[in-house]
Amino acid sequence: MKLFLDTGDVREVKAAAEWGVLDGVTTNPSLIAKSGRGFRETVLEICECVPGGAISAELVATDYDAMLKEALEIHSWHEQIVVKVPMTENGVRLTRTLSDRGVRTNVTLVFSVNQALLAAKAGATFISNFVGRVDDIGGDGMQAVRETVEMVESYGFDSEVLVASIRHPMHVVESLRCGAHIATMPFKIFQQLFHHPLSEAGLKRFLDDWNAAGLEIFSKAKV
Ligand code: E4P
């Protein structure tokens, strides 16, 4: 499963890229607005931080013609950019147009397998299935992910299922169990994937034992 960072903060992307396990980045209009910086400059810097990674950048128009114009503009900025399109009638129509032109798309705000089916049929590269927002209102966000992965696989669609709106590390575990292709998460949750109390306690004990024995890795140079 690919791991994406969900952020508009270039510093977070730089830090996560150094770990060597980052496959891409998703942004959305709220995250870009929160960054306090320009859209194009932010997305381009993110592309530089993750060479070869898929970087999703979302359009904001709702009218079809305006959406197409924005999509082509965003697409022209960098080859790594995946145009993020909302799940609406115009969004699905646009996804079909972009897919026919070889432009990669990420259909966002998908909450049901029916919506995912429309995105897959339109040729979406990624289908962003939001889980946390469903859990927030007492639903089971992972249910649509399970059904979408099954639908994509049993009907042989090329789309990859991207689990979005991740709120905690268990959402990542559940994404793996569902067979999702990608999980995108905030920086803080990405960091939490590293941690286990037994890893931390284990490392402390190893180092304490080593130091107590006065051992060294590098032999002292002879004079
Ligand atoms: C996905 O691409 C979205 O940017 C994101 O995961 C939304 O998450 P939220 O529900 O925490 O805003």
Side-chain angles (χ1 to χ4, degrees):
M1 186 171 75
K2 290 180 222 167
L3 296 176
F4 284 11
L5 196 62
D6 192 32
T7 187
D9 185 334
V10 178
R11 288 165 305 180
E12 290 184 345
V13 178
K14 271 188 190 142
E18 286 179 355
W19 299 329
V21 291
L22 183 65
D23 299 299
V25 176
T26 49
T27 66
N28 66 38
S30 305
L31 292 169
I32 295 293
K34 194 174 153 199
S35 78
R37 302 183 57 213
F39 185 23
R40 186 172 184 272
E41 59 170 317
T42 303
V43 170
L44 288 179
E45 275 188 45
I46 291 174
C47 288
E48 298 307 317
C49 296
V50 193
I55 312 302
S56 291
E58 189 164 344
L59 52 80
V60 290
T62 53
D63 166 75
Y64 176 79
D65 291 333
M67 288 169 91
L68 177 58
K69 214 171 150 197
E70 287 185 359
L72 296 177
E73 169 65 18
I74 292 169
H75 169 68
S76 74
W77 293 344
H78 200 285
E79 62 189 8
Q80 285 172 236
I81 292 179
V82 178
V83 181
K84 213 167 166 191
V85 180
M87 168 44 69
T88 60
E89 290 180 13
N90 282 336
V92 169
R93 180 181 166 199
L94 180 70
T95 300
R96 164 51 59 205
T97 304
L98 295 174
S99 168
D100 288 347
R101 293 187 185 196
V103 176
R104 293 187 299 165
T105 54
N106 175 351
V107 176
T108 188
L109 293 166
V110 171
F111 293 89
S112 73
V113 69
N114 281 342
Q115 292 178 318
L117 172 63
L118 296 169
K121 284 179 70 69
T125 313
F126 303 143
I127 301 172
S128 279
N129 209 308
F130 282 43
V131 294
R133 294 188 192 191
V134 177
D135 291 2
D136 290 347
I137 58 165
D140 175 9
M142 279 328 259
Q143 184 56 31
V145 174
R146 257 174 241 119
E147 292 169 354
T148 299
V149 170
E150 198 183 328
M151 179 268 291
V152 163
E153 284 176 0
S154 58
Y155 287 92
F157 288 112
D158 292 329
S159 307
E160 292 186 74
V161 181
L162 186 159
V163 183
S165 187
I166 281 180
R167 298 269 188 271
H168 47 71
M170 269 314 288
H171 274 150
V172 181
V173 174
E174 288 164 12
S175 302
L176 286 164
R177 287 178 181 155
C178 291
H181 304 91
I182 306 161
T184 190
M185 67 207 80
F187 184 74
K188 191 174 152 237
I189 293 168
F190 213 128
Q191 277 185 312
Q192 286 175 337
L193 303 187
F194 287 88
H195 298 297
H196 191 287
L198 293 178
S199 300
E200 282 135 34
L203 179 60
K204 184 178 181 317
R205 194 192 301 169
F206 286 155
L207 297 184
D208 287 349
D209 291 346
W210 177 270
N211 291 328
L215 293 161
E216 288 178 13
I217 288 181
F218 300 103
S219 43
K220 292 210 170 72
K222 287 184 185 145
V223 265

